Amino acid sequence: SSRSLNPMTELPKGCSRGEENLAKLFHLYEQFAVGTSFFAYRGEMLEHFTSAILELGEQVKKGGEERAALKKRAPFIMVECFQNILRHGVSRDSDSKQGYFGFFANEHYLTINTINEIERSAAVPLAQLLDSINEWSEDEKKERYKEIIQRDTFGPNGGAGLGLIEISRKSGNRMDFEMEDKRDGRTCFHQQVTIGFKSEQEAVNRISFTQQIEKEMEQE
């Protein structure tokens, strides 16, 4: 039919909460219309998602020649951020790890945001590691990376340390994060990694915005 449909007034009568859901959808669209691409997933994290995230990263790095070397690193960094959810995350039931993975990209920058629960006992060591990495020079990062490899420390902390150091090295930016204690004795770990495609572009902290999106996804 060529007749235009007004989704806010002419929804099928059997549509449960249709107007409310569509209003939220349009609101989200307006928020992200300024970006080149936006992706958000909340739910069970599975190893085989890695290939799909790699393909998404390949799309993000296309277009524009400014800081092309950084754009080429986007797929690797996105995969490493996802892998860190698998490394740090704790299982709730049936060994499934729940979390949030998303990114926002425009011509200026790419932000990768992740949310997952960790054991509260791991929160302080992880925060200390991230603070240290953010303070290290490039030479120090290389040396620490070599030390971990030479020690053959590939437990939960060692493997995660390698991934975090590589993310920091390849993104060229600090890693922003927040920790939020939960009632069940666990801690919610929010992390953001930014790649600036234009040298004058400052990193934009989207952690609070991501928290809002994740909570809306949980409720709906």
Side-chain angles (χ1 to χ4, degrees), residues 148-205:
I148 295 174
I149 292 291
Q150 291 170 355
R151 287 202 309 265
D152 197 25
T153 307
F154 292 102
N157 293 329
L162 288 173
L164 291 170
I165 292 172
E166 278 298 89
I167 289 171
S168 176
R169 291 176 63 187
K170 292 188 179 296
S171 69
N173 279 315
R174 64 176 286 109
M175 293 178 287
D176 296 307
F177 68 94
E178 290 184 9
M179 302 282 190
E180 178 186 358
D181 286 341
K182 310 294 283 188
R183 292 181 179 178
D184 59 2
R186 294 176 175 177
T187 297
C188 202
F189 171 48
H190 306 254
Q191 185 181 18
Q192 174 176 301
V193 176
T194 302
I195 310 173
F197 298 146
K198 292 192 175 180
S199 57
E200 72 276 8
Q201 181 68 34
E202 294 184 1
V204 177
N205 192 318

Side-chain angles (χ1 to χ4, degrees), residues 88-125:
H88 292 302
V90 290
S91 302
R92 284 208 163 269
D93 26 341
S94 302
D95 293 327
S96 67
K97 294 182 179 180
Q98 303 289 318
Y100 171 99
F101 174 88
F103 66 83
F104 178 88
N106 60 24
E107 63 178 354
H108 297 286
Y109 60 84
L110 162 70
T111 60
I112 305 161
N113 291 81
T114 58
I115 301 175
N116 61 281
E117 288 187 355
I118 60 176
E119 297 291 355
R120 188 166 297 176
S121 59
V124 171

Side-chain angles (χ1 to χ4, degrees), residues 39-41 45 53 78 81-82 85 99-103 112-114:
F39 176 85
Y41 170 81
M45 296 292 168
I53 291 171
M78 289 169 67
C81 288
F82 174 74
I85 299 178
Y100 171 99
F101 174 88
F103 66 83
I112 305 161
N113 291 81
T114 58

Side-chain angles (χ1 to χ4, degrees), residues 67 69-70 73 76-77 133-134 136-146 149 161-175 193-195:
R67 308 195 80 179
L70 274 178
R73 300 174 190 172
F76 170 86
I77 296 172
I133 293 174
N134 284 333
W136 291 340
S137 66
E138 289 304 309
D139 287 340
E140 287 176 314
K141 292 173 190 176
K142 291 179 183 178
E143 288 303 314
R144 298 287 180 153
Y145 188 90
K146 290 178 182 178
I149 292 291
L162 288 173
L164 291 170
I165 292 172
E166 278 298 89
I167 289 171
S168 176
R169 291 176 63 187
K170 292 188 179 296
S171 69
N173 279 315
R174 64 176 286 109
M175 293 178 287
V193 176
T194 302
I195 310 173

